[in-house]
Amino acid sequence: QQQVKQSPQSLIVQKGGIPIINCAYENTAFDYFPWYQQFPGKGPALLIAIRPDVSEKKEGRFTISFNKSAKQFSLHIMDSQPGDSATYFCAASLKGGGADGLTFGKGTHLIIQP
Amino acid sequence: DAGVTQSPTHLIKTRGQQVTLRCSPKSGHDTVSWYQQALGQGPQFIFQYYEEEERQRGNFPDRFSGHQFPNYSSELNVNALLLGDSALYLCASSVGLSGYGYTFGSGTRLTVV
C-alpha cells in the first residue's frame, strides 16, 4: 500500500528553469514532510522539510508548497543548475519519523540540461 | 565531521545464506534506523533502534533482525536470503526518537544470486 504518491517519475528541464515535483499523501496523521536528494552511489540527503501548520517554506533555491486540505505538497527548484540533476524523494511521517519511520515516494529522476 | 558509515559497500551472497551489515552513526547521534531501497524505488523502513532496543518496525519478516551496541553502532542481519532481498540497504542516524533530521549513509549494495 503506497501512502505517498510522487510524480512525475522523470523530468527534464533546461538550466534556469523551475522543475516542480508533486506528492500526495493519504494518511492525515502525517505531520512531517521532508524532501531528499539522492545522487548515484550515495544515500539520500535531506534538502528541506515542512510541517502542516505552514503553507510554504523556502531554503535557498528550494521551496516546499503545502496544501493540507488537498493532502498534497510539492518541491520547486528555482534557477535550476546541472548540478541539481539527481533523484528526488518526498517523504512523510508520523511525529517526525519516531513512529513507523519515514514513508517515501517512488522518486523523481531530474535532469537539468545545460 | 564523520557522517554515517556503512560497511561493506558491496556484497554478493547466495540464496539461503545469512548476511550482516554494519552501521556507525554520525557523531552525536544515538538512534539508528534501517531502510531497504530496491532499484528504482524509494527507501522502505525496516526498523529503528534506540537505547539498544528495537523501537519501531516496518512491514518486514522476522528474517530481518538487528542489534544496537552501547556505542550506538548497529547491525542488520538477514537470514535465509531470497533473490528479492537484493537491494541497497541504508542506515540513517538521528537524535532521540523524534525522527527529524535523519542523516543517511551511502548504503550497502546487497546482491543475492
Side-chain angles (χ1 to χ4, degrees), chain A residues 16-27:
Chain A
I18 305 176
I20 301 173
I21 304 170
N22 301 298
C23 284
Y25 62 97
E26 301 169 3
N27 189 342

Side-chain angles (χ1 to χ4, degrees), chain A residues 22-62:
Chain A
N22 301 298
C23 284
Y25 62 97
E26 301 169 3
N27 189 342
T28 56
F30 285 146
D31 78 338
Y32 175 67
F33 302 89
W35 284 89
Y36 284 84
Q37 178 190 58
Q38 186 175 29
F39 293 105
K42 299 293 185 181
L46 178 65
L47 269 178
I48 185 173
I50 197 168
R51 303 289 301 275
D53 52 346
V54 297
S55 60
E56 185 176 277
K57 183 176 181 180
K58 295 182 180 180
E59 284 187 6
R61 296 184 295 108
F62 301 94

Side-chain angles (χ1 to χ4, degrees), chain B residues 48-67:
Chain B
Q48 179 187 67
Y49 277 84
Y50 174 69
E51 294 185 334
E52 302 180 48
E53 291 186 7
E54 182 182 299
R55 298 292 177 150
Q56 299 291 339
R57 187 178 185 93
N59 188 24
F60 279 80
D62 292 343
R63 298 187 297 108
F64 290 77
S65 63
H67 188 77

Side-chain angles (χ1 to χ4, degrees), chain A residues 91-109:
Chain A
S93 72
L94 304 171
K95 299 179 183 178
D100 301 327
L102 288 167
T103 299
F104 283 84
K106 290 190 174 183
T108 296
H109 184 213

